[in-house]
Amino acid sequence: MNIYFQLFSREISVAFKRWTDALTGFILFFLIAILFPLISDSNKEFLLTIVGPIMMFSAFFASMLSMQNMFKPDFQNGTIEQLMLSKGSFVSLILTKTIAYWLFTSLPLILISGLTASIYFVSASGILIIQLTLVLSTLTMVHINAFTAAITLGIRYPGALMTLIITPITLPILIFGSKTIENSILGADISGPLYFLTGMMMLSFFLGPWITASALKISMD
Amino acid sequence: MNLKKIYKYGSPPNFYRFAMKLEPWCLSLGLFLIAIGSIGGLFVAPKDYQMGDAFRIIYFHVPSAYLSMSAYAAMGIASIIGIVWRSNVAFAVAKSIAPFGALMTAVALITGMLWGKPMWGTAWVWDARLTSEFILLLLYFGYITLHATIKEQKKADRAASLLAILGIINLPIIHYSVVWWNTLHQASTISKLDSPSIVGEMLWPLLLMIIGYMIFFIGVICRGGSAEVLMREKRSNWVKEV
């Protein structure tokens, strides 16, 4: 059996055993989206203007919540070291791991976002755009999170440092993501910000695994 | 063939001697230019017909804003050199640039706020340049904190350099994404070379200040970098001789 496929199925089965990690992000995402109409104004026009930022914001926080555990358990029990020594390319192995992680932590958010968007009175076509935006932006964010988790691996309490590193790098994705959603709700052209998001995603797929792998190597020695 | 000459400065003793020779010249020349520029800017240049005397803060605002960006670029380049050639000197230089760059960013932000208060009526607006300058400050803080948190010297160097390189890739993206807001900040004063929107009497102190800041910056880097190199090599023989 292919080594990448083996790692992938291993990641999925481990993720099922640590399901609370994914669940916390999921609950946070849902709760932020529900709490906003409750604690602020709940009329339709207002909710439609803030749905874009809220979606991006809650996805950002949900992805940040679980990312400390992205490499830490595997680092402590020596799996990362074994991956480094294995015959496959380390960069591609990291890419496999990142995608498996994305499937488990971000895909549930995208599925539930249809429900949360309908709380904000978004139309059916708007929901599709929101989900597309979330797919593109979480696929970018997961690489940034992977890099940050890898580079702060040896630090005992990395919480504040992680936030400091991750916020400036993620900012463009948040801006363009909420711009896409806002434009689609206003009925304006969404191709500009959507192309940008796609470009960022391609760039992060190209650079992300490579830079994460070198960060892991630095944390290793 | 010329690379060999550059390689020579990659060795700590050579770099140290070179930096020590360069440092007093840069510091004094930089200070001299800054002094002339300040006198020219604060006393000689005529009042702005719109802003009055308040415009004179430009002589401190613009050079520090210039330097905050170019210091980050210098830090990124030093980091790349450090990662690629595993040069200890480059890491030391990158590390010594960071606090100075953060300081310049803070100065640019604060003078901008002081300037904005009487001119725009508020100290802060969510404007493209202000926001990206603020993000730049966060990037500097990230670098400094990451370097300070990792105990092992070599690990800290390489990890922080990786972050600086990522910041270099990301900085233009951040800038252009922030430009999406309508911008209140006035356009650059001296980038329009053919028809400058500033009169000569106002311009020359500004140029002097920018050049002075740059040269002073090189002096500071020489000082900080050589001190850092000394700290790192304190066990070796050539340091004992110095």
Side-chain angles (χ1 to χ4, degrees), chain B residues 223-240:
Chain B
R223 200 184 177 90
S226 52
E228 187 69 31
V229 166
L230 276 191
M231 278 284 287
R232 288 173 187 214
E233 306 261 319
K234 61 187 167 199
R235 297 234 171 77
S236 64
N237 284 327
W238 70 268
V239 175
K240 280 172 194 152

Side-chain angles (χ1 to χ4, degrees), chain B residues 47-67:
Chain B
K47 272 188 193 179
D48 187 84
Y49 80 101
Q50 238 179 352
M51 298 194 200
D53 272 332
F55 99 96
R56 294 184 196 281
I57 206 166
I58 196 178
Y59 295 113
F60 301 96
H61 177 68
V62 170
S64 49
Y66 261 48
L67 207 50

Side-chain angles (χ1 to χ4, degrees), chain A residues 151 168-169 176 179 218-219 221, chain B residues 155 159 166 170 174 177 180:
Chain A
I151 208 157
I169 306 178
F176 281 94
K179 201 85 192 171
I218 289 171
S219 298
D221 49 47
Chain B
K155 219 188 221 186
L166 192 65
N170 222 41
I174 292 175
S177 67
W180 272 61

Side-chain angles (χ1 to χ4, degrees), chain B residues 109-127:
Chain B
L109 276 173
I110 291 169
T111 51
M113 280 175 159
L114 290 177
W115 196 7
K117 188 73 189 163
M119 290 307 125
W120 297 335
T122 82
W124 183 263
V125 282
W126 287 103
D127 155 85

Side-chain angles (χ1 to χ4, degrees), chain A:
Chain A
M1 206 160 50
N2 190 331
I3 182 172
Y4 302 108
F5 188 71
Q6 269 178 339
L7 176 69
F8 187 77
S9 51
R10 184 247 173 207
E11 286 299 317
I12 294 294
S13 60
V14 168
F16 269 107
K17 281 175 189 137
R18 287 206 312 260
W19 53 275
T20 44
D21 278 6
L23 191 67
T24 19
F26 184 76
I27 289 176
L28 185 78
F29 179 79
F30 195 61
L31 279 187
I32 292 179
I34 286 186
L35 277 180
F36 242 90
L38 282 179
I39 60 179
S40 64
D41 202 351
S42 59
N43 73 57
K44 191 177 169 182
E45 285 78 37
F46 176 68
L47 286 184
L48 278 178
T49 55
I50 60 166
V51 60
I54 301 269
M55 285 292 160
M56 299 310 297
F57 176 76
S58 44
F60 174 56
F61 271 84
S63 73
M64 231 164 51
L65 200 65
S66 54
M67 93 194 191
Q68 278 197 31
N69 287 335
M70 197 158 171
F71 294 117
K72 203 157 214 168
D74 286 347
F75 183 68
Q76 280 161 351
N77 66 24
T79 313
I80 302 278
E81 202 166 359
Q82 293 303 316
L83 289 183
M84 247 179 225
L85 298 172
S86 72
K87 61 175 189 273
S89 129
F90 185 51
V91 175
S92 319
L93 286 170
I94 292 300
L95 179 62
T96 315
K97 207 169 151 51
T98 314
I99 291 173
Y101 183 83
W102 178 83
L103 277 182
F104 214 78
T105 53
S106 295
L107 200 58
L109 307 187
I110 293 157
L111 295 179
I112 197 75
S113 70
L115 183 59
T116 49
S118 60
I119 298 174
Y120 288 77
F121 309 105
V122 180
S123 64
S125 60
I127 287 175
L128 277 182
I129 297 293
I130 287 180
Q131 287 180 329
L132 178 62
T133 313
L134 281 178
V135 168
L136 292 175
S137 51
T138 48
L139 272 176
T140 319
M141 279 188 228
V142 78
H143 290 289
I144 299 172
N145 291 356
F147 165 74
T148 316
I151 208 157
T152 53
L153 208 50
I155 299 169
R156 193 166 295 167
Y157 300 109
L161 179 59
M162 274 183 166
T163 330
L164 196 57
I165 293 177
I166 221 167
T167 314
I169 306 178
T170 318
L171 187 76
I173 303 154
L174 298 182
I175 291 176
F176 281 94
S178 55
K179 201 85 192 171
T180 315
I181 298 175
E182 194 188 316
N183 278 7
S184 86
I185 282 167
L186 292 174
D189 185 26
I190 60 164
S191 53
L194 207 58
Y195 287 158
F196 186 89
L197 277 183
T198 320
M200 284 294 289
M201 189 195 75
M202 302 310 284
L203 184 69
S204 72
F205 262 83
F206 166 67
L207 276 181
W210 176 79
I211 205 165
T212 307
S214 40
L216 277 174
K217 274 179 197 156
I218 289 171
S219 298
M220 209 68 193
D221 49 47

Side-chain angles (χ1 to χ4, degrees), chain B residues 192-232:
Chain B
K192 291 174 271 176
L193 280 176
D194 40 36
S195 62
S197 50
I198 181 169
V199 295
E201 286 156 320
M202 288 182 181
L203 181 61
W204 67 262
L206 184 57
L207 288 179
L208 273 190
M209 286 297 269
I210 292 174
I211 296 167
Y213 264 60
M214 292 281 177
I215 293 175
F216 189 72
F217 167 69
I218 295 171
V220 170
I221 297 311
C222 284
R223 200 184 177 90
S226 52
E228 187 69 31
V229 166
L230 276 191
M231 278 284 287
R232 288 173 187 214

